[in-house]
Amino acid sequence: GRVTIRFMELIGRREGHIPLQHLTHQAFFMGYEFYVNENVLVPRQDTETLVEAALECAKTAEADKELHILDMFTLSFFILVSILKEMPKACGTGVDLSELALEVAERNARTLEVADRAEFIQGDLFSSAFSWYSQ
């Protein structure tokens, strides 16, 4: 039937080394479920260690201050959204060149209810920062 055909199609795509998360459009990071597609990176377990360390630093630094997090060119913004989930007073900005990755980031920020504290900007830091060099 139709389900069998779809299942065989997914197996064929997986054989082509497409990540399982891209096939299911679902990835877990820091205990949160994220939507993913071919336009974003799949989160890695070792990146959770980085986020946990950043959270520890942020919490012990100055717990009474509001933090602003900058997430540059991660293609998925799992780090930013996870930190915002863990730190209700924090806000953040995600910057990436990929408009499609930014759309996924915004979707996850809405789904995980941090969109009011997150902004996503399309940009290329390197071409702006080094434009003086080519002149």
Side-chain angles (χ1 to χ4, degrees):
R2 211 160 139 170
V3 173
T4 304
I5 292 169
R6 177 73 178 135
F7 183 70
M8 295 308 290
E9 176 190 314
L10 289 173
I11 289 174
R13 291 181 66 202
R14 182 67 186 116
E15 285 177 346
H17 304 288
I18 295 174
L20 178 62
Q21 294 90 338
H22 284 171
L23 298 176
T24 62
H25 298 293
Q26 178 184 51
F28 291 89
F29 185 77
M30 297 293 296
Y32 301 111
E33 182 179 341
F34 287 84
Y35 170 82
V36 294
N37 63 23
E38 66 279 357
N39 300 307
V40 297
L41 298 174
V42 174
R44 296 171 48 111
Q45 183 71 34
D46 55 339
T47 307
E48 288 191 12
T49 305
L50 170 72
V51 171
E52 288 167 356
L55 286 169
E56 245 349 273
C57 288
K59 287 177 181 175
T60 57
E62 298 190 46
D64 59 332
K65 286 195 173 181
E66 291 185 20
L67 295 176
H68 190 99
I69 294 102
L70 178 61
D71 191 351
M72 298 291 294
F73 310 116
T74 62
L75 264 184
S76 56
F77 303 104
F78 298 116
I79 295 170
L80 175 61
V81 173
S82 296
I83 290 174
L84 295 181
K85 283 297 289 181
E86 295 292 318
M87 300 190 76
K89 289 185 179 180
C91 60
T93 302
V95 180
D96 202 286
L97 190 57
S98 170
E99 184 177 343
L100 297 174
L102 292 168
E103 289 173 8
V104 173
E106 289 172 350
R107 176 178 178 163
N108 283 317
R110 284 191 308 272
T111 301
L112 292 169
E113 300 177 338
V114 297
D116 61 326
R117 297 183 286 124
E119 74 173 327
F120 298 99
I121 300 169
Q122 185 176 16
D124 182 353
L125 172 71
F126 299 108
S127 67
S128 300
F130 297 110
S131 62
W132 58 269
Y133 184 75
S134 61
Q135 296 175 351

